[in-house]
DNA sequence: ATACATACC
DNA sequence: GACTGGTATGTAT
């Protein structure tokens, strides 16, 4: 602090170099900060940072005032509350899991160095002049790091080599490491292309009972300690896939006869030239490299070492790992011995306490530079300080944040990896050279909406809330959002909403221009698009056929009549695109699209088995029970839904149309508008019978029938029915068997640092395959 | 429901 | 000269 302010009012603390990252210890921070400062000062960006800094200082000031106004009685109360919470937390501390966080070392940079050895001894970074994704360890010595603009990095390190990112390549490598992860935890939780959490608890049980053979792997012989050296003539295929089966096969009997203690020695003594092994790789035809055999123990350390070695053999890249009883600690541990190392915190309260004592709060995932500074003003810099200042924290922060802090100080975190929650939002944004011409702004907006609609369609999603994000040339960020009447992924409807949000902003700076450097569009409140909308339409036809009085129903009935926005609220002269026929047809296939550099990808298991309809039912049901106990219930709900769903389909197929109904989100005027059809994605459809322009609808839950039941009323009715009847019955048994303690905080759900994955929608039995 | 801020990679 | 892009979530209103 003092050093920074000593340089004048100028240097911004939150902008200063962050030496938190591995490989950045003991830098000449002062010099680096000076260079960053010189490169930044006077820029719009810098001015905005100053503004933010002032706001933060203001917040700190207010916090100080609040703190100093606390009476000793209040402080005592805070202390009491804190201690009570801590007791409850301790009571439900779970040390029975073995969580591992695996993180590739300088991932993008490492891939580039692997593929271009000329980079190996040079400072390099992946990214461009305006932003870096990552840097190698040589560059880090100069203070060059991820999230730093390239032009500043070049000032810090004039010899820095910039490499354009190649995401296709990183994704391919990511695929390879995930294949390995899956062998240790099929339910692993990827956080980005280069890192994942694994729950090794089950693997370790299996491992302890496994034969030595299962724990022997091939390692290429290294000429030095650091990295595998490959020459051009040698095979670089997956060595353990190509050769391990034959080696193990040949040696099986002997290996089984040697005692575990002597086995490694025996493996070292083997001379493979005597073996009848292929000399060349059957995949690439190149010469197979010389190798040794390594036996790994049944311990966690060896399991993780084995995994890391296999990653290296497979990708020629190194990974670091952290082993601990929860995700929060595992994450911190994986950073401890980076690069190419691992660290374990054993499931022991004393050891955890000892570890937390001197751990800087900034190391905890979820505590960033702002929270660090905020807490710094309360003399908190280590995790143990959170405990010391617990009485203050109780008063200074929301109860959620307070709980989060208390959990940190106790070294507690999530002990399960709840996987693959459906995404909550999808967005696209672009930075550009200043645009202020309204026509061009609308044009940009249209582009973004087109992009977003494409992504939504590729992911088979529809959303309800459209948000516009803008960043002015002075880096001020604004978001404006509007929730539509119904779910959509139609480009025109999205644009119609976005353009009107944009219009308000353009109009609001009256007499002058809205000058932007960035625009983005986001869709949230997502539901899966019914994957079989076409067949649903045909089901309408089918049910019509069943009813002699049925009137014609065709797709034109579903056309949207007007745009979703109220025209009176957002009258606009811009008329580039009008909302039209949203797409009714969609395919059954689920396509994956590669998104951000860091985005998690969903597990393949899930996507392949879900139909849109089932998804929507799951979504609907889960919403009501979102906060309840998860895994067990979900499995149960899941299987019930499956049955119900099948029954539904059977009902449709046969003539039993006694219960005919449709649950739709509120809708208007026309019996079944197009928008309503889109809402089928979150509908439970059994069947529908139309007669003489009127519709006879019955609730699929209770069977109650009504003539021309207004959709919003039916909706409400079904909400009630489902939540009251279905869910309650389904969950009744579980509630009994799954008693939940009075301690709310046991569940990590709402805490910032916890990697959140909601429920597992994979069928129960797939776990055991 | 909306806006903004913080955090993560 | 130049300071990203995508997602989630907490806080405040």
């Amino acid at each position: 602090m003092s050093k920074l302010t000593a340089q004048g009012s100028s240097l911004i603390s939150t902008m200063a170099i962050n030496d938190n990252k591995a490989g950045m210890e003991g830098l000449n921070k002062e010099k680096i900060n000076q260079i960053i400062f010189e490169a930044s000062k006077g820029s719009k960006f810098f001015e905005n940072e100053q503004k933010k800094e002032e706001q933060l200082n203001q917040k700190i000031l207010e916090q100080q005032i609040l703190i100093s106004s606390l009476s000793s009685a209040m402080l005592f109360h805070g202390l009491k509350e804190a201690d009570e919470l801590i007791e409850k937390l301790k009571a439900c501390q779970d040390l029975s899991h073995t969580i591992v966080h695996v993180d590739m070392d300088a991932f993008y940079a490492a891939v580039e160095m692997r593929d271009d050895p000329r980079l190996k001894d040079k400072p390099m970074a992946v990214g461009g002049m305006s932003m870096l994704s990552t840097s190698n360890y040589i560059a880090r010595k100069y203070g060059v790091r991820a999230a730093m603009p390239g032009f500043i990095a070049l000032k810090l390190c004039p010899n820095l080599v910039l490499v354009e990112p190649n995401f296709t390549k990183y994704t391919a490598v990511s695929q390879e490491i995930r294949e390995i992860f899956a062998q240790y935890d099929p339910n692993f939780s990827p956080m980005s292309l280069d890192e994942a959490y694994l729950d090794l608890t089950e693997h370790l049980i299996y491992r302890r009972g496994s034969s030595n053979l299962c724990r022997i792997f091939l390692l290429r012989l290294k000429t030095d300690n650091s990295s595998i050296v490959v020459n051009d003539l040698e095979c670089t295929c997956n060595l353990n896939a190509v050769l391990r089966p034959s080696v193990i096969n040949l040696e099986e009997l002997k290996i089984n006869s040697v005692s575990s203690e002597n086995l490694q020695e025996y493996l070292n003594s083997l001379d493979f030239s005597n073996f009848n092994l292929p000399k060349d790789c059957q995949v690439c035809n190149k010469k197979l490299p010389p190798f040794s055999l390594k036996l790994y123990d049944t311990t966690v350390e060896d399991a993780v070492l084995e995994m890391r070695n296999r990653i290296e053999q497979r990708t020629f890249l190194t990974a670091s790992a952290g082993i601990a009883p929860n995700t929060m600690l595992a994450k911190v541990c994986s950073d401890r011995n980076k690069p190419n190392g691992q660290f374990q915190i054993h499931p022991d309260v004393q050891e955890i306490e000892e570890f937390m004592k001197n751990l800087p709060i900034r190391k905890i995932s979820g505590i960033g530079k702002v929270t660090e500074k905020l807490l710094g003003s309360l003399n908190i810099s280590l995790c143990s300080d959170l405990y010391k200042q617990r009485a203050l924290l109780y008063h200074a922060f929301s109860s959620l944040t307070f709980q989060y802090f208390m959990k940190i100080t106790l070294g507690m975190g999530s002990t399960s990896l709840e996987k693959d929650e459906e995404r909550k939002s999808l967005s696209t944004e672009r930075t550009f050279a200043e645009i202020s011409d309204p026509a061009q702004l609308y044009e940009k907006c249209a582009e973004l909406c087109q992009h977003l609609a494409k992504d939504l369609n590729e992911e088979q999603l529809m959303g309800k809330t459209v948000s516009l994000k803008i960043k002015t040339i002075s880096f001020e960020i604004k978001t404006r959002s509007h929730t539509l009447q119904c779910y959509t992924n139609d480009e025109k409807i999205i644009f119609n909403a976005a353009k009107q949000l944009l219009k308000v902003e353009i109009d609001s700076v009256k007499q002058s221009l809205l000058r932007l450097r960035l625009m983005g569009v986001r869709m949230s409140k997502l539901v899966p698009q019914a994957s079989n909308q076409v067949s649903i339409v045909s089901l309408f036809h089918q049910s019509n056929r069943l009813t002699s009085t049925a009137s014609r129903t065709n797709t034109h009935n579903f056309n949207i009549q007007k745009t979703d926005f109220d025209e009176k609220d957002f009258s606009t002269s811009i008329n580039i695109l009008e909302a039209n026929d949203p797409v009714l047809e969609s395919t059954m296939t689920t396509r994956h699209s590669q998104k951000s550099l860091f985005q998690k990808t969903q597990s393949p298991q899930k996507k392949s088995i879900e139909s849109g309809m089932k998804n929507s039912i799951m979504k609907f049901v889960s919403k009501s029970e979102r906060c309840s106990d998860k895994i067990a219930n979900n499995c149960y709900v899941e299987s019930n839904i499956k049955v119900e769903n099948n029954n539904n389909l059977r009902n449709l197929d046969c003539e039993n149309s006694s219960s005919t109904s449709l649950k739709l989100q509120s809708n208007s005027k026309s019996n079944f508008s197009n928008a309503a059809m889109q809402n089928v994605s979150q509908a439970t459809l059994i069947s529908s019978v139309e007669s003489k322009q009127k519709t006879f609808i019955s609730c699929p839950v209770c069977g109650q029938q009504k003539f021309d039941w207004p959709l919003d009323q039916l909706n409400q009715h079904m909400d009630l029915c489902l939540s009251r009847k279905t869910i309650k019955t389904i969950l009744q048994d579980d509630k009994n068997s799954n008693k939940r303690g009075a301690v709310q905080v046991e569940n990590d759900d709402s805490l910032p640092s916890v990697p959140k994955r909601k429920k597992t929608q994979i069928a129960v039995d797939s776990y055991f395959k």
Side-chain angles (χ1 to χ4, degrees):
Chain A
M1 252 318 259
S2 52
K3 268 183 206 157
L4 303 183
T5 43
Q7 287 170 5
S9 58
S10 35
L11 225 167
I12 297 173
S13 65
T14 51
M15 238 179 101
I17 182 72
N18 177 339
D19 60 353
N20 204 11
K21 199 112 184 142
M24 308 208 61
E25 303 79 12
L27 307 171
N28 185 346
K29 269 182 31 176
E30 214 164 316
K31 192 179 163 196
I32 290 169
N33 281 330
Q34 194 58 42
I35 294 173
I36 296 175
F37 171 67
E38 291 298 332
S40 310
K41 68 175 178 195
S43 68
K44 296 275 187 202
F45 175 81
F46 186 82
E47 282 172 24
N48 188 254
E49 290 299 304
Q50 278 182 313
K51 203 179 102 191
K52 277 158 52 182
E53 174 93 348
E54 277 163 32
Q55 282 170 3
L56 181 56
N57 286 333
Q58 186 59 40
K59 196 172 171 184
I60 288 171
L61 214 63
E62 285 164 18
Q63 195 186 58
Q64 300 285 3
I65 292 169
L66 186 141
I67 294 292
S68 56
S69 74
L70 294 173
S71 65
S72 53
M74 286 168 87
L75 282 174
F76 183 76
H77 174 69
L79 198 65
K80 202 188 94 197
E81 291 283 337
D83 287 343
E84 273 174 25
L85 174 64
I86 286 168
E87 282 315 304
K88 283 178 188 167
L89 286 169
K90 277 182 174 170
C92 58
Q93 185 161 22
D94 178 4
L95 302 178
S96 68
H97 289 259
T98 305
I99 307 292
V100 176
H101 180 253
V102 187
D103 193 354
M104 299 297 289
D105 302 321
F107 186 47
Y108 298 169
V111 173
E112 297 304 335
M113 285 163 73
R114 176 193 73 175
D115 295 349
D116 185 354
R118 291 173 302 175
L119 298 170
K120 283 210 163 110
D121 51 359
K122 295 188 179 68
M124 61 84 68
V126 176
M129 276 310 227
S130 48
M131 193 48 63
L132 303 181
S133 294
T134 187
S135 57
N136 70 2
Y137 281 80
I138 304 172
R140 289 183 196 186
K141 296 239 184 304
Y142 296 84
V144 173
R145 52 155 300 153
M148 176 182 276
F151 73 92
I152 291 181
L154 278 167
K155 292 206 162 113
L156 289 170
C157 174
N159 294 326
L160 183 73
V161 181
L162 291 181
V163 179
E164 282 293 312
N166 184 343
F167 297 114
T168 319
K169 214 152 79 175
Y170 312 145
T171 308
V173 180
S174 184
Q175 211 43 52
E176 295 180 315
I177 64 172
R178 286 177 187 188
E179 273 175 34
I180 295 174
F181 292 157
Q183 293 178 36
Y184 295 85
D185 176 9
N187 208 18
F188 75 94
S189 184
M191 300 306 290
S192 63
L193 289 182
D194 81 312
E195 70 177 79
Y197 289 98
L198 288 77
D199 186 342
L200 284 207
T201 316
E202 276 194 35
H203 169 81
L204 290 169
I205 295 169
Y206 151 81
R207 194 177 176 86
R208 276 175 221 120
S210 69
S211 90
N212 287 331
L213 274 171
C214 307
R215 288 177 276 103
I216 294 173
F217 287 90
L218 280 64
L219 297 180
R220 288 174 170 82
L221 297 181
K222 284 186 180 183
T223 48
D224 62 58
N225 269 342
S226 54
S227 60
I228 305 172
V229 180
V230 247
N231 81 51
D232 280 352
L233 305 170
E234 258 173 25
C235 157
T236 56
C237 297
N238 183 358
L239 184 61
N240 276 294
V242 173
L243 218 47
R244 185 174 177 269
S246 359
V247 175
I248 296 292
N249 228 1
L250 287 168
E251 278 296 301
E252 183 168 354
L253 286 175
K254 286 182 211 154
I255 286 173
N256 282 333
S257 67
V258 180
S259 73
S260 296
E261 299 79 58
N262 300 323
L263 186 50
Q264 184 62 62
E265 205 178 325
Y266 171 74
L267 296 174
N268 292 342
S269 74
L270 291 173
D271 180 1
F272 298 104
S273 57
N274 300 329
F275 284 50
N276 191 20
L277 290 169
K279 294 278 174 287
D280 299 321
C281 171
Q282 286 165 341
V283 181
C284 68
N285 290 324
K286 287 186 181 175
K287 192 168 150 287
L288 285 163
F291 63 90
S292 62
L293 292 179
K294 183 166 166 60
L295 168 72
Y296 296 89
D297 201 354
T298 57
T299 59
V300 213
E301 295 96 303
D302 260 32
V304 173
L305 182 63
E306 174 188 296
M307 179 162 54
R308 292 200 300 115
N309 285 344
R310 289 176 67 190
I311 288 172
E312 191 182 6
Q313 291 299 315
R314 179 85 185 261
T315 66
F316 302 93
L317 303 168
T318 61
S320 297
I323 309 161
N326 63 57
T327 55
M328 185 239 102
L329 291 174
K331 176 86 207 246
V332 180
C333 289
S334 70
D335 195 54
R336 201 75 170 196
N337 284 329
K338 223 168 207 316
N340 200 11
Q342 63 188 58
F343 184 81
Q344 180 179 12
I345 296 177
H346 296 87
D348 174 86
V349 182
Q350 254 86 55
E351 186 174 332
I352 294 170
E353 194 184 321
E354 193 61 28
F355 183 85
M356 298 313 287
K357 202 161 79 184
N358 295 312
L359 185 70
I361 48 168
R362 188 65 169 85
K363 292 280 182 188
I364 274 78
S365 172
I367 297 190
K369 55 185 184 179
V370 173
T371 312
E372 180 187 31
K373 190 173 173 183
L374 215 48
L375 290 173
S377 73
L378 300 175
N379 287 319
I380 295 168
S381 62
L382 303 175
C383 292
S384 48
D385 298 332
L386 289 168
Y387 181 79
K388 291 181 187 160
Q389 300 287 50
R390 61 196 184 286
L392 290 186
L393 293 173
Y394 174 80
H395 292 285
F397 290 89
S398 74
S399 91
L400 204 60
T401 310
F402 174 65
Q403 283 183 26
Y404 171 60
F405 290 152
M406 292 303 102
K407 292 189 81 166
I408 288 171
T409 199
L410 294 174
M412 292 176 70
S414 185
T415 56
S416 63
L417 315 179
E418 286 164 14
K419 263 194 87 150
D420 277 338
E421 150 98 340
E422 316 89 74
R423 68 157 72 249
K424 295 192 169 48
S425 73
L426 200 151
S427 69
T428 184
E429 68 185 52
R430 216 55 53 186
T431 296
F432 38 72
E434 174 176 347
I435 300 180
S436 54
D437 172 19
Q440 284 180 44
L441 287 173
Y442 288 116
E443 179 56 36
K444 182 60 75 178
C445 182
E447 274 172 36
L448 290 163
C449 291
Q450 181 182 27
H451 191 295
L452 179 63
K454 188 173 146 271
D455 286 354
L456 283 166
N457 277 288
E458 277 173 9
E459 298 229 11
Q460 300 269 291
L461 291 168
M462 300 196 299
K464 221 179 176 198
T465 302
V466 177
S467 306
L468 178 80
K469 173 178 172 181
I470 56 176
K471 194 193 278 179
T472 66
I473 54 161
S474 44
F475 287 86
E476 288 162 333
I477 295 168
K478 276 183 191 165
T479 58
R480 294 289 178 263
S481 64
H482 175 79
T483 301
L484 304 166
Q485 294 292 302
C486 52
Y487 294 88
T488 189
N489 54 14
D490 182 85
E491 178 191 334
K492 293 158 194 169
I493 298 176
I494 296 169
F495 177 58
N496 191 56
K499 85 178 175 204
Q500 297 184 72
L501 292 168
L502 177 60
K503 182 176 190 304
V504 173
E505 293 311 304
I506 290 175
D507 291 348
S508 75
V509 291
K510 15 180 173 306
Q511 316 302 17
S512 72
L513 292 170
L514 183 66
R515 306 172 66 190
L516 300 187
R517 73 179 334 268
L518 171 145
M519 195 187 295
V521 192
R522 170 177 305 262
M523 184 67 96
S524 49
K525 305 252 167 62
L526 300 178
V527 291
Q529 182 173 42
S531 57
N532 44 1
Q533 284 191 20
V534 177
S535 53
I536 287 171
V537 171
S538 65
L539 291 172
F540 273 87
H541 290 295
Q542 196 176 338
S543 35
N544 289 339
R545 260 183 275 119
L546 297 175
T547 321
S548 52
T549 52
S551 67
R552 297 285 328 130
T553 305
N554 61 45
T555 52
H556 289 294
N557 289 60
F558 303 131
N559 289 345
I560 235 170
Q561 306 291 307
K562 67 183 202 72
T563 60
D564 195 81
F565 248 164
D566 272 346
E567 244 99 56
K568 58 181 190 306
D569 292 336
F570 295 97
S571 57
T572 170
S573 56
I574 301 297
N575 206 3
I576 305 176
L577 295 166
E578 281 302 328
N580 236 315
D581 299 3
V583 185
L584 268 175
E585 306 205 357
S586 63
T587 62
M588 292 287 284
T589 46
T590 310
R591 280 158 297 173
H592 296 247
S593 64
Q594 205 213 316
K595 289 285 132 58
S596 93
L597 337 184
F598 305 110
Q599 188 189 325
K600 314 156 195 178
T601 57
Q602 297 207 343
S603 73
Q605 300 101 308
K606 179 186 159 188
K607 287 223 165 181
S608 56
I609 50 170
E610 305 289 4
S611 76
M613 216 193 253
K614 197 175 94 190
N615 256 336
S616 48
I617 297 168
M618 279 305 295
K619 180 111 190 170
F620 177 75
V621 173
S622 69
K623 217 172 183 172
S624 317
E625 280 297 314
R626 193 154 307 248
C627 297
S628 308
D629 295 322
K630 304 226 164 68
I631 304 287
N633 282 350
N634 287 329
C635 293
Y636 194 55
V637 170
E638 175 80 2
S639 52
N640 273 281
I641 292 297
K642 264 185 199 154
V643 171
E644 197 175 295
N645 202 21
N646 287 342
N647 285 341
N648 291 347
L649 295 173
R650 258 199 303 282
N651 283 343
L652 289 165
D653 282 340
C654 69
E655 311 217 331
N656 175 12
S657 51
S658 64
S659 72
T660 59
S661 94
L662 176 63
K663 178 186 187 259
L664 295 174
Q665 282 275 301
S666 72
N667 222 309
S668 48
K669 340 284 180 216
S670 68
N671 281 346
F672 295 102
S673 72
N674 197 344
M677 267 324 286
Q678 297 196 345
N679 275 317
V680 164
S681 70
Q682 66 158 265
T684 310
L685 172 78
I686 291 182
S687 78
S688 167
V689 180
E690 273 200 355
S691 61
K692 312 234 169 186
Q693 279 99 24
K694 301 260 178 168
T695 315
F696 213 75
I697 304 172
S698 70
C699 170
V701 184
C702 67
Q704 187 187 338
Q705 293 198 357
K706 269 193 188 173
F707 199 58
D708 217 12
W709 207 339
L711 292 168
D712 46 355
Q713 280 181 34
L714 171 61
N715 236 351
Q716 271 186 3
H717 168 87
M718 281 192 57
D719 279 355
L720 249 156
C721 250
L722 263 177
S723 58
R724 185 172 47 200
K725 192 171 164 186
T726 313
I727 299 173
K728 275 193 183 163
T729 2
I730 287 171
L731 297 175
Q732 198 75 61
D733 303 325
D734 286 81
K735 272 187 185 152
N736 298 336
S737 63
N738 220 338
K739 287 265 191 300
R740 186 180 174 69
V743 187
Q744 200 77 44
V745 289
E746 182 174 4
N747 200 326
D748 269 318
D749 254 4
S750 40
L751 300 178
S753 81
V754 181
K756 272 169 222 180
R757 252 358 94 106
K758 284 264 164 77
K759 65 206 117 205
T760 305
Q761 295 197 2
I762 304 164
V764 196
D765 49 3
S766 76
Y767 282 106
F768 304 107
K769 280 186 181 151

